[in-house]
Amino acid sequence: MNEQARITAMEDADAVEIPWEFDGPVAPDSPELERLLAEIALDAEARRRPGREGHPWKALGLIRKARLGALRLPHESGGAGASLRQLFQVVIRLAEADPDVAHILRAHYLLVDEFLRAPAGPVRDARLARAAAGELFGNAYTELSAKAVGNYQFDTRLTPEGDGYRLDGTKYFSTGTLYADWVYVTASGPEGSCIGAVIPTDREGVSIEDDWDGIGQKHTGSGTTHFDNVRVERDEVTQRSTETQFNALAQLYLHAIVAGILRNVVGDAAALLHSRVRTFSHAATERAPEDPQLLQVVGSLSSSAFAAEAIVLAAADAQDRAFAAAVRQGRVGVALGHAASLSAAQAKVSIDQLALQAATQLFDVGGASAARQSANLDRHWRNIRTLASHNPTVYKARAIGDYVVNGRELPRNAYF
């Protein structure tokens, strides 16, 4: 997709009309949110039909109009005033409707929280105002290089020029940036300093490739972003601390998406049973919806979905405590930050295993027809496997064990 086609798609999405009226940004537990989720689920279902698979431009247009990106902003800043627990409750429901759309918003919500913790001033106010207006932020953090994952050294560079900078480099795994109005870029500045910059995605020299070829999460826009001699103004730049810190919100967000997918697995399992017009001659009952063995499988799937959601929300409570302290003190305290990071890591180790098992168990309630490509039930396993592969579970489990046994603090980097 070239840049003009992307801009045209965004303009078409912005022209989408919301078929209901409401005041202010959509809020948790509101009828407006339920309508929005229903519309997104219908759009996802339509795009899954043979020959119709495509990008969720309509869903993102609805989200902009409903200002779902302002969920975490305080009421006085034009937002819905949601806690982190409420945010994760919404993300789980959004992932149930369309896991790609939930993933697309990950960088946006991470950045909004970072902006909320930033020192007061006109730059912070302007960024929060953009989120309040429904504009979306994407990311350009990750590079494909020989450097170890999780450090803060980048080949992408910001070079001083006059009263601003020039930005040059290439980023990958730019999830959400294809659909975003703004992108947060990490780069190396003068003398190797770590710098972040927030710039519009339509600025001259920015090009976004839709070249993500993963087995799952296919339309998250997680491809390559190029920056070729891009002008960056001084007030668009943020000096990033070289002191690493915990990043539990980014990690737990992925598991919230998985929890939402599991809700969808349960719904598909029930629908699959009711759609079966025959069963085996040696089955326990003549009708699949009455088969106690198949009902046991669905009960197991439902229990897995419940457990995943409960784990995510318990870890979200730890993040709420860390965020509240950060707002009061200007930074996340080590003890609360570590507790939030630990709970997010434990959530991953637990949820990855039960989710992958559940996505496989789904096929136990169907016959061979459930394995047809047209049924598309394998999408759940592929999406979960893709999300779980972001950060290897074995490293998380090892770090947790080292903390429990030896008292060693978890690593402080973007992956914890």
Side-chain angles (χ1 to χ4, degrees), residues 263-295:
R263 289 176 65 120
N264 211 325
V265 166
V266 176
D268 278 354
L272 186 57
L273 279 187
H274 282 289
S275 71
R276 290 181 62 174
V277 296
R278 66 172 185 165
T279 187
F280 292 94
S281 60
H282 50 278
T285 61
E286 292 184 0
R287 294 184 62 250
E290 302 296 334
D291 190 319
Q293 289 180 285
L294 301 183
L295 293 176

PDB file of all heavy atoms in Angstrom, residues 263-295:
ATOM      1  N   ARG A 263     -12.546 -15.533  24.690  1.00  0.00           N
ATOM      2  CA  ARG A 263     -13.997 -15.320  24.747  1.00  0.00           C
ATOM      3  C   ARG A 263     -14.620 -15.683  23.404  1.00  0.00           C
ATOM      4  O   ARG A 263     -15.697 -16.273  23.334  1.00  0.00           O
ATOM      5  CB  ARG A 263     -14.313 -13.864  25.103  1.00  0.00           C
ATOM      6  CG  ARG A 263     -13.988 -13.499  26.549  1.00  0.00           C
ATOM      7  CD  ARG A 263     -14.228 -12.017  26.811  1.00  0.00           C
ATOM      8  NE  ARG A 263     -15.626 -11.648  26.698  1.00  0.00           N
ATOM      9  CZ  ARG A 263     -16.348 -11.119  27.672  1.00  0.00           C
ATOM     10  NH1 ARG A 263     -15.816 -10.927  28.867  1.00  0.00           N
ATOM     11  NH2 ARG A 263     -17.597 -10.788  27.478  1.00  0.00           N
ATOM     12  N   ASN A 264     -13.934 -15.330  22.332  1.00  0.00           N
ATOM     13  CA  ASN A 264     -14.415 -15.641  20.992  1.00  0.00           C
ATOM     14  C   ASN A 264     -14.358 -17.138  20.720  1.00  0.00           C
ATOM     15  O   ASN A 264     -15.243 -17.704  20.055  1.00  0.00           O
ATOM     16  CB  ASN A 264     -13.576 -14.898  19.953  1.00  0.00           C
ATOM     17  CG  ASN A 264     -14.360 -14.545  18.710  1.00  0.00           C
ATOM     18  OD1 ASN A 264     -15.226 -15.288  18.293  1.00  0.00           O
ATOM     19  ND2 ASN A 264     -14.037 -13.415  18.124  1.00  0.00           N
ATOM     20  N   VAL A 265     -13.336 -17.814  21.246  1.00  0.00           N
ATOM     21  CA  VAL A 265     -13.224 -19.260  21.110  1.00  0.00           C
ATOM     22  C   VAL A 265     -14.454 -19.943  21.723  1.00  0.00           C
ATOM     23  O   VAL A 265     -15.033 -20.872  21.140  1.00  0.00           O
ATOM     24  CB  VAL A 265     -11.927 -19.779  21.769  1.00  0.00           C
ATOM     25  CG1 VAL A 265     -11.964 -21.298  21.946  1.00  0.00           C
ATOM     26  CG2 VAL A 265     -10.710 -19.380  20.939  1.00  0.00           C
ATOM     27  N   VAL A 266     -14.842 -19.487  22.902  1.00  0.00           N
ATOM     28  CA  VAL A 266     -16.008 -20.065  23.579  1.00  0.00           C
ATOM     29  C   VAL A 266     -17.268 -19.865  22.731  1.00  0.00           C
ATOM     30  O   VAL A 266     -18.074 -20.794  22.547  1.00  0.00           O
ATOM     31  CB  VAL A 266     -16.197 -19.454  24.978  1.00  0.00           C
ATOM     32  CG1 VAL A 266     -17.464 -19.993  25.637  1.00  0.00           C
ATOM     33  CG2 VAL A 266     -14.982 -19.741  25.856  1.00  0.00           C
ATOM     34  N   GLY A 267     -17.457 -18.663  22.212  1.00  0.00           N
ATOM     35  CA  GLY A 267     -18.619 -18.392  21.372  1.00  0.00           C
ATOM     36  C   GLY A 267     -18.630 -19.254  20.116  1.00  0.00           C
ATOM     37  O   GLY A 267     -19.677 -19.779  19.708  1.00  0.00           O
ATOM     38  N   ASP A 268     -17.458 -19.418  19.502  1.00  0.00           N
ATOM     39  CA  ASP A 268     -17.378 -20.256  18.305  1.00  0.00           C
ATOM     40  C   ASP A 268     -17.635 -21.719  18.630  1.00  0.00           C
ATOM     41  O   ASP A 268     -18.230 -22.451  17.823  1.00  0.00           O
ATOM     42  CB  ASP A 268     -16.004 -20.106  17.648  1.00  0.00           C
ATOM     43  CG  ASP A 268     -15.908 -18.875  16.763  1.00  0.00           C
ATOM     44  OD1 ASP A 268     -16.944 -18.203  16.572  1.00  0.00           O
ATOM     45  OD2 ASP A 268     -14.809 -18.578  16.266  1.00  0.00           O
ATOM     46  N   ALA A 269     -17.201 -22.170  19.806  1.00  0.00           N
ATOM     47  CA  ALA A 269     -17.441 -23.563  20.207  1.00  0.00           C
ATOM     48  C   ALA A 269     -18.938 -23.828  20.357  1.00  0.00           C
ATOM     49  O   ALA A 269     -19.456 -24.852  19.887  1.00  0.00           O
ATOM     50  CB  ALA A 269     -16.711 -23.865  21.511  1.00  0.00           C
ATOM     51  N   ALA A 270     -19.649 -22.912  21.020  1.00  0.00           N
ATOM     52  CA  ALA A 270     -21.094 -23.081  21.195  1.00  0.00           C
ATOM     53  C   ALA A 270     -21.809 -23.054  19.846  1.00  0.00           C
ATOM     54  O   ALA A 270     -22.702 -23.873  19.580  1.00  0.00           O
ATOM     55  CB  ALA A 270     -21.631 -21.982  22.109  1.00  0.00           C
ATOM     56  N   ALA A 271     -21.412 -22.118  18.978  1.00  0.00           N
ATOM     57  CA  ALA A 271     -22.030 -22.027  17.654  1.00  0.00           C
ATOM     58  C   ALA A 271     -21.743 -23.282  16.830  1.00  0.00           C
ATOM     59  O   ALA A 271     -22.607 -23.763  16.081  1.00  0.00           O
ATOM     60  CB  ALA A 271     -21.525 -20.789  16.931  1.00  0.00           C
ATOM     61  N   LEU A 272     -20.537 -23.808  16.978  1.00  0.00           N
ATOM     62  CA  LEU A 272     -20.160 -25.007  16.240  1.00  0.00           C
ATOM     63  C   LEU A 272     -21.027 -26.192  16.636  1.00  0.00           C
ATOM     64  O   LEU A 272     -21.482 -26.968  15.784  1.00  0.00           O
ATOM     65  CB  LEU A 272     -18.680 -25.321  16.491  1.00  0.00           C
ATOM     66  CG  LEU A 272     -18.042 -26.462  15.701  1.00  0.00           C
ATOM     67  CD1 LEU A 272     -18.179 -26.221  14.200  1.00  0.00           C
ATOM     68  CD2 LEU A 272     -16.570 -26.601  16.083  1.00  0.00           C
ATOM     69  N   LEU A 273     -21.291 -26.351  17.934  1.00  0.00           N
ATOM     70  CA  LEU A 273     -22.150 -27.443  18.387  1.00  0.00           C
ATOM     71  C   LEU A 273     -23.556 -27.320  17.810  1.00  0.00           C
ATOM     72  O   LEU A 273     -24.156 -28.298  17.358  1.00  0.00           O
ATOM     73  CB  LEU A 273     -22.220 -27.469  19.911  1.00  0.00           C
ATOM     74  CG  LEU A 273     -21.065 -28.139  20.661  1.00  0.00           C
ATOM     75  CD1 LEU A 273     -21.373 -28.219  22.139  1.00  0.00           C
ATOM     76  CD2 LEU A 273     -20.812 -29.536  20.118  1.00  0.00           C
ATOM     77  N   HIS A 274     -24.091 -26.115  17.831  1.00  0.00           N
ATOM     78  CA  HIS A 274     -25.461 -25.925  17.339  1.00  0.00           C
ATOM     79  C   HIS A 274     -25.547 -26.070  15.816  1.00  0.00           C
ATOM     80  O   HIS A 274     -26.637 -26.306  15.284  1.00  0.00           O
ATOM     81  CB  HIS A 274     -25.992 -24.558  17.770  1.00  0.00           C
ATOM     82  CG  HIS A 274     -26.420 -24.512  19.198  1.00  0.00           C
ATOM     83  ND1 HIS A 274     -27.549 -25.159  19.659  1.00  0.00           N
ATOM     84  CD2 HIS A 274     -25.865 -23.902  20.288  1.00  0.00           C
ATOM     85  CE1 HIS A 274     -27.685 -24.950  20.956  1.00  0.00           C
ATOM     86  NE2 HIS A 274     -26.677 -24.201  21.368  1.00  0.00           N
ATOM     87  N   SER A 275     -24.418 -25.899  15.119  1.00  0.00           N
ATOM     88  CA  SER A 275     -24.439 -25.992  13.660  1.00  0.00           C
ATOM     89  C   SER A 275     -24.315 -27.421  13.158  1.00  0.00           C
ATOM     90  O   SER A 275     -24.548 -27.688  11.974  1.00  0.00           O
ATOM     91  CB  SER A 275     -23.301 -25.155  13.072  1.00  0.00           C
ATOM     92  OG  SER A 275     -22.034 -25.753  13.329  1.00  0.00           O
ATOM     93  N   ARG A 276     -23.956 -28.344  14.030  1.00  0.00           N
ATOM     94  CA  ARG A 276     -23.749 -29.726  13.610  1.00  0.00           C
ATOM     95  C   ARG A 276     -25.093 -30.439  13.397  1.00  0.00           C
ATOM     96  O   ARG A 276     -25.917 -30.516  14.317  1.00  0.00           O
ATOM     97  CB  ARG A 276     -22.911 -30.482  14.633  1.00  0.00           C
ATOM     98  CG  ARG A 276     -21.461 -30.036  14.671  1.00  0.00           C
ATOM     99  CD  ARG A 276     -20.633 -30.820  15.670  1.00  0.00           C
ATOM    100  NE  ARG A 276     -20.583 -32.252  15.322  1.00  0.00           N
ATOM    101  CZ  ARG A 276     -19.826 -33.120  15.969  1.00  0.00           C
ATOM    102  NH1 ARG A 276     -19.063 -32.718  16.993  1.00  0.00           N
ATOM    103  NH2 ARG A 276     -19.817 -34.392  15.609  1.00  0.00           N
ATOM    104  N   VAL A 277     -25.303 -30.936  12.191  1.00  0.00           N
ATOM    105  CA  VAL A 277     -26.553 -31.615  11.871  1.00  0.00           C
ATOM    106  C   VAL A 277     -26.430 -33.129  12.040  1.00  0.00           C
ATOM    107  O   VAL A 277     -27.429 -33.849  11.946  1.00  0.00           O
ATOM    108  CB  VAL A 277     -27.007 -31.291  10.431  1.00  0.00           C
ATOM    109  CG1 VAL A 277     -27.309 -29.817  10.312  1.00  0.00           C
ATOM    110  CG2 VAL A 277     -25.934 -31.702   9.420  1.00  0.00           C
ATOM    111  N   ARG A 278     -25.251 -33.626  12.272  1.00  0.00           N
ATOM    112  CA  ARG A 278     -25.063 -35.055  12.518  1.00  0.00           C
ATOM    113  C   ARG A 278     -23.951 -35.239  13.528  1.00  0.00           C
ATOM    114  O   ARG A 278     -23.161 -34.324  13.773  1.00  0.00           O
ATOM    115  CB  ARG A 278     -24.722 -35.806  11.226  1.00  0.00           C
ATOM    116  CG  ARG A 278     -23.377 -35.415  10.626  1.00  0.00           C
ATOM    117  CD  ARG A 278     -23.001 -36.319   9.481  1.00  0.00           C
ATOM    118  NE  ARG A 278     -21.657 -36.000   8.996  1.00  0.00           N
ATOM    119  CZ  ARG A 278     -20.951 -36.801   8.209  1.00  0.00           C
ATOM    120  NH1 ARG A 278     -21.451 -37.952   7.819  1.00  0.00           N
ATOM    121  NH2 ARG A 278     -19.742 -36.436   7.805  1.00  0.00           N
ATOM    122  N   THR A 279     -23.906 -36.417  14.102  1.00  0.00           N
ATOM    123  CA  THR A 279     -22.825 -36.749  15.011  1.00  0.00           C
ATOM    124  C   THR A 279     -22.402 -38.184  14.709  1.00  0.00           C
ATOM    125  O   THR A 279     -22.833 -38.772  13.706  1.00  0.00           O
ATOM    126  CB  THR A 279     -23.262 -36.564  16.476  1.00  0.00           C
ATOM    127  OG1 THR A 279     -22.115 -36.757  17.322  1.00  0.00           O
ATOM    128  CG2 THR A 279     -24.342 -37.547  16.876  1.00  0.00           C
ATOM    129  N   PHE A 280     -21.572 -38.758  15.529  1.00  0.00           N
ATOM    130  CA  PHE A 280     -21.097 -40.125  15.283  1.00  0.00           C
ATOM    131  C   PHE A 280     -22.108 -41.158  15.793  1.00  0.00           C
ATOM    132  O   PHE A 280     -22.833 -40.913  16.763  1.00  0.00           O
ATOM    133  CB  PHE A 280     -19.748 -40.331  15.986  1.00  0.00           C
ATOM    134  CG  PHE A 280     -18.642 -39.520  15.362  1.00  0.00           C
ATOM    135  CD1 PHE A 280     -18.314 -38.262  15.849  1.00  0.00           C
ATOM    136  CD2 PHE A 280     -17.937 -40.014  14.272  1.00  0.00           C
ATOM    137  CE1 PHE A 280     -17.297 -37.506  15.279  1.00  0.00           C
ATOM    138  CE2 PHE A 280     -16.916 -39.260  13.691  1.00  0.00           C
ATOM    139  CZ  PHE A 280     -16.597 -38.007  14.183  1.00  0.00           C
ATOM    140  N   SER A 281     -22.116 -42.314  15.151  1.00  0.00           N
ATOM    141  CA  SER A 281     -23.024 -43.381  15.570  1.00  0.00           C
ATOM    142  C   SER A 281     -22.697 -43.868  16.971  1.00  0.00           C
ATOM    143  O   SER A 281     -23.573 -44.394  17.668  1.00  0.00           O
ATOM    144  CB  SER A 281     -22.954 -44.551  14.584  1.00  0.00           C
ATOM    145  OG  SER A 281     -21.622 -45.066  14.526  1.00  0.00           O
ATOM    146  N   HIS A 282     -21.462 -43.670  17.395  1.00  0.00           N
ATOM    147  CA  HIS A 282     -21.047 -44.112  18.725  1.00  0.00           C
ATOM    148  C   HIS A 282     -21.003 -42.956  19.730  1.00  0.00           C
ATOM    149  O   HIS A 282     -20.405 -43.082  20.801  1.00  0.00           O
ATOM    150  CB  HIS A 282     -19.674 -44.797  18.662  1.00  0.00           C
ATOM    151  CG  HIS A 282     -18.640 -43.996  17.930  1.00  0.00           C
ATOM    152  ND1 HIS A 282     -18.536 -43.992  16.559  1.00  0.00           N
ATOM    153  CD2 HIS A 282     -17.668 -43.167  18.395  1.00  0.00           C
ATOM    154  CE1 HIS A 282     -17.537 -43.205  16.197  1.00  0.00           C
ATOM    155  NE2 HIS A 282     -16.993 -42.684  17.289  1.00  0.00           N
ATOM    156  N   ALA A 283     -21.606 -41.809  19.385  1.00  0.00           N
ATOM    157  CA  ALA A 283     -21.631 -40.666  20.305  1.00  0.00           C
ATOM    158  C   ALA A 283     -22.584 -40.947  21.464  1.00  0.00           C
ATOM    159  O   ALA A 283     -23.442 -41.831  21.399  1.00  0.00           O
ATOM    160  CB  ALA A 283     -22.060 -39.402  19.569  1.00  0.00           C
ATOM    161  N   ALA A 284     -22.465 -40.192  22.522  1.00  0.00           N
ATOM    162  CA  ALA A 284     -23.283 -40.397  23.718  1.00  0.00           C
ATOM    163  C   ALA A 284     -24.744 -40.011  23.500  1.00  0.00           C
ATOM    164  O   ALA A 284     -25.637 -40.510  24.184  1.00  0.00           O
ATOM    165  CB  ALA A 284     -22.707 -39.609  24.887  1.00  0.00           C
ATOM    166  N   THR A 285     -25.008 -39.081  22.571  1.00  0.00           N
ATOM    167  CA  THR A 285     -26.371 -38.648  22.286  1.00  0.00           C
ATOM    168  C   THR A 285     -26.530 -38.479  20.778  1.00  0.00           C
ATOM    169  O   THR A 285     -25.547 -38.430  20.027  1.00  0.00           O
ATOM    170  CB  THR A 285     -26.706 -37.303  22.963  1.00  0.00           C
ATOM    171  OG1 THR A 285     -25.819 -36.298  22.459  1.00  0.00           O
ATOM    172  CG2 THR A 285     -26.574 -37.399  24.468  1.00  0.00           C
ATOM    173  N   GLU A 286     -27.760 -38.317  20.337  1.00  0.00           N
ATOM    174  CA  GLU A 286     -28.014 -38.142  18.915  1.00  0.00           C
ATOM    175  C   GLU A 286     -27.727 -36.721  18.459  1.00  0.00           C
ATOM    176  O   GLU A 286     -27.442 -36.493  17.287  1.00  0.00           O
ATOM    177  CB  GLU A 286     -29.472 -38.507  18.597  1.00  0.00           C
ATOM    178  CG  GLU A 286     -29.789 -39.983  18.769  1.00  0.00           C
ATOM    179  CD  GLU A 286     -31.209 -40.305  18.358  1.00  0.00           C
ATOM    180  OE1 GLU A 286     -31.933 -39.371  17.952  1.00  0.00           O
ATOM    181  OE2 GLU A 286     -31.596 -41.484  18.443  1.00  0.00           O
ATOM    182  N   ARG A 287     -27.851 -35.770  19.362  1.00  0.00           N
ATOM    183  CA  ARG A 287     -27.630 -34.351  19.016  1.00  0.00           C
ATOM    184  C   ARG A 287     -26.358 -33.839  19.694  1.00  0.00           C
ATOM    185  O   ARG A 287     -26.170 -34.017  20.906  1.00  0.00           O
ATOM    186  CB  ARG A 287     -28.815 -33.492  19.443  1.00  0.00           C
ATOM    187  CG  ARG A 287     -30.112 -33.802  18.693  1.00  0.00           C
ATOM    188  CD  ARG A 287     -31.214 -32.840  19.099  1.00  0.00           C
ATOM    189  NE  ARG A 287     -30.888 -31.449  18.768  1.00  0.00           N
ATOM    190  CZ  ARG A 287     -30.613 -30.502  19.651  1.00  0.00           C
ATOM    191  NH1 ARG A 287     -30.593 -30.786  20.959  1.00  0.00           N
ATOM    192  NH2 ARG A 287     -30.340 -29.275  19.255  1.00  0.00           N
ATOM    193  N   ALA A 288     -25.527 -33.170  18.898  1.00  0.00           N
ATOM    194  CA  ALA A 288     -24.252 -32.672  19.428  1.00  0.00           C
ATOM    195  C   ALA A 288     -24.435 -31.708  20.606  1.00  0.00           C
ATOM    196  O   ALA A 288     -23.677 -31.784  21.580  1.00  0.00           O
ATOM    197  CB  ALA A 288     -23.446 -32.006  18.310  1.00  0.00           C
ATOM    198  N   PRO A 289     -25.423 -30.775  20.593  1.00  0.00           N
ATOM    199  CA  PRO A 289     -25.564 -29.852  21.728  1.00  0.00           C
ATOM    200  C   PRO A 289     -25.934 -30.535  23.040  1.00  0.00           C
ATOM    201  O   PRO A 289     -25.864 -29.889  24.100  1.00  0.00           O
ATOM    202  CB  PRO A 289     -26.677 -28.904  21.270  1.00  0.00           C
ATOM    203  CG  PRO A 289     -26.699 -28.987  19.794  1.00  0.00           C
ATOM    204  CD  PRO A 289     -26.339 -30.403  19.485  1.00  0.00           C
ATOM    205  N   GLU A 290     -26.342 -31.802  22.982  1.00  0.00           N
ATOM    206  CA  GLU A 290     -26.704 -32.531  24.203  1.00  0.00           C
ATOM    207  C   GLU A 290     -25.628 -33.539  24.611  1.00  0.00           C
ATOM    208  O   GLU A 290     -25.780 -34.202  25.638  1.00  0.00           O
ATOM    209  CB  GLU A 290     -28.032 -33.275  23.996  1.00  0.00           C
ATOM    210  CG  GLU A 290     -29.199 -32.383  23.612  1.00  0.00           C
ATOM    211  CD  GLU A 290     -29.558 -31.398  24.718  1.00  0.00           C
ATOM    212  OE1 GLU A 290     -29.277 -31.709  25.892  1.00  0.00           O
ATOM    213  OE2 GLU A 290     -30.113 -30.328  24.405  1.00  0.00           O
ATOM    214  N   ASP A 291     -24.564 -33.627  23.837  1.00  0.00           N
ATOM    215  CA  ASP A 291     -23.518 -34.619  24.099  1.00  0.00           C
ATOM    216  C   ASP A 291     -22.716 -34.209  25.332  1.00  0.00           C
ATOM    217  O   ASP A 291     -22.046 -33.171  25.324  1.00  0.00           O
ATOM    218  CB  ASP A 291     -22.599 -34.734  22.878  1.00  0.00           C
ATOM    219  CG  ASP A 291     -21.639 -35.912  22.970  1.00  0.00           C
ATOM    220  OD1 ASP A 291     -21.096 -36.160  24.069  1.00  0.00           O
ATOM    221  OD2 ASP A 291     -21.411 -36.568  21.943  1.00  0.00           O
ATOM    222  N   PRO A 292     -22.741 -34.996  26.422  1.00  0.00           N
ATOM    223  CA  PRO A 292     -22.048 -34.597  27.649  1.00  0.00           C
ATOM    224  C   PRO A 292     -20.536 -34.471  27.473  1.00  0.00           C
ATOM    225  O   PRO A 292     -19.907 -33.639  28.142  1.00  0.00           O
ATOM    226  CB  PRO A 292     -22.404 -35.699  28.647  1.00  0.00           C
ATOM    227  CG  PRO A 292     -22.807 -36.860  27.810  1.00  0.00           C
ATOM    228  CD  PRO A 292     -23.439 -36.283  26.590  1.00  0.00           C
ATOM    229  N   GLN A 293     -19.963 -35.262  26.578  1.00  0.00           N
ATOM    230  CA  GLN A 293     -18.518 -35.161  26.367  1.00  0.00           C
ATOM    231  C   GLN A 293     -18.154 -33.839  25.689  1.00  0.00           C
ATOM    232  O   GLN A 293     -17.173 -33.187  26.057  1.00  0.00           O
ATOM    233  CB  GLN A 293     -18.028 -36.343  25.531  1.00  0.00           C
ATOM    234  CG  GLN A 293     -18.057 -37.667  26.289  1.00  0.00           C
ATOM    235  CD  GLN A 293     -17.569 -38.811  25.428  1.00  0.00           C
ATOM    236  OE1 GLN A 293     -18.281 -39.271  24.543  1.00  0.00           O
ATOM    237  NE2 GLN A 293     -16.346 -39.238  25.684  1.00  0.00           N
ATOM    238  N   LEU A 294     -18.952 -33.446  24.709  1.00  0.00           N
ATOM    239  CA  LEU A 294     -18.696 -32.183  24.014  1.00  0.00           C
ATOM    240  C   LEU A 294     -19.000 -30.990  24.927  1.00  0.00           C
ATOM    241  O   LEU A 294     -18.301 -29.967  24.887  1.00  0.00           O
ATOM    242  CB  LEU A 294     -19.515 -32.112  22.728  1.00  0.00           C
ATOM    243  CG  LEU A 294     -19.249 -33.233  21.709  1.00  0.00           C
ATOM    244  CD1 LEU A 294     -20.064 -32.997  20.441  1.00  0.00           C
ATOM    245  CD2 LEU A 294     -17.773 -33.356  21.390  1.00  0.00           C
ATOM    246  N   LEU A 295     -20.040 -31.131  25.730  1.00  0.00           N
ATOM    247  CA  LEU A 295     -20.347 -30.064  26.687  1.00  0.00           C
ATOM    248  C   LEU A 295     -19.217 -29.892  27.701  1.00  0.00           C
ATOM    249  O   LEU A 295     -18.922 -28.766  28.137  1.00  0.00           O
ATOM    250  CB  LEU A 295     -21.655 -30.372  27.417  1.00  0.00           C
ATOM    251  CG  LEU A 295     -22.922 -30.352  26.562  1.00  0.00           C
ATOM    252  CD1 LEU A 295     -24.124 -30.763  27.396  1.00  0.00           C
ATOM    253  CD2 LEU A 295     -23.130 -28.971  25.947  1.00  0.00           C
TER     254      LEU A 295
END
